[in-house]
Amino acid sequence: PSSTGTILVGRNVRTRNPLVLTRGGCQFTDNGIRNAIIENFDPISTREDKGALWENFFYVERIKEHSLNHDFGRVYFWRTAGRSPKEIDFVEVVEGKMQAFECKLNPEAKIHGAAAFSKAYPDCPIRIASPATLPLVLKQAKAYLSAASSGT
């Protein structure tokens, strides 16, 4: 994490389709800093940016996990080109294994970029990370990486 409180999410360098664009994003290591910059400390229940706050929280938790594990995990943002771009919030790469995360407040919400992403990366699981599913998603992510590193 940055001492300035912001992290630029890296570009995905493994695009297989020339129509796929990869763009970095910006996440904050502290939602309080984010709130100060946008001058909004309203309760979460009244905020229009709940989804962005959740996405930022999840991102920071994943960065902490990779830091604690010393696994050199890299986190990317994925987006297609075109007038109706599809995206996946985060794609992690650890020791050559990829897994994707889409942050949603509602665990039943549709992932608009899932079909395009799965076509480009058929072996990469996509997990919906919501407040309700967070413990399960983190457990699945950890098990996936453990299995990958043990060769099973």
Side-chain angles (χ1 to χ4, degrees), residues 45-60:
S45 61
T46 64
R47 294 184 60 155
E48 292 182 19
D49 62 345
K50 290 180 240 197
L53 285 167
W54 171 247
E55 186 176 306
N56 200 91
F57 170 82
F58 181 79
Y59 173 78
V60 170

Side-chain angles (χ1 to χ4, degrees), residues 52 97 106 121:
K97 288 294 271 186
N106 177 355
Y121 301 99

Side-chain angles (χ1 to χ4, degrees), residues 96-130:
K97 288 294 271 186
M98 291 174 45
Q99 60 182 337
F101 300 93
E102 183 66 18
C103 298
K104 300 286 187 188
L105 291 174
N106 177 355
E108 304 300 320
K110 183 178 179 184
I111 303 174
H112 298 287
F117 183 83
S118 292
K119 184 176 180 182
Y121 301 99
D123 297 329
C124 181
I126 304 172
R127 305 182 199 294
I128 295 179
S130 74

Side-chain angles (χ1 to χ4, degrees), residues 67-115:
S67 179
L68 289 171
N69 291 335
H70 304 286
D71 62 17
F72 303 103
R74 296 174 314 229
V75 180
Y76 300 100
F77 169 80
W78 183 87
R79 183 177 179 159
T80 62
R83 287 191 287 193
S84 298
K86 307 296 184 210
E87 70 176 46
I88 296 294
D89 291 329
F90 303 111
V91 178
E92 294 182 353
V93 180
V94 177
E95 297 179 13
K97 288 294 271 186
M98 291 174 45
Q99 60 182 337
F101 300 93
E102 183 66 18
C103 298
K104 300 286 187 188
L105 291 174
N106 177 355
E108 304 300 320
K110 183 178 179 184
I111 303 174
H112 298 287

Side-chain angles (χ1 to χ4, degrees), residues 10-40:
R11 296 179 185 269
N12 182 351
V13 296
R14 292 185 47 180
T15 58
R16 296 181 183 177
N17 181 336
L19 299 177
V20 175
L21 297 176
T22 56
R23 299 181 181 172
C26 180
Q27 299 295 329
F28 292 84
T29 56
D30 183 325
N31 270 333
I33 293 171
R34 180 188 181 281
N35 291 341
I37 289 170
I38 65 172
E39 298 179 351
N40 187 346

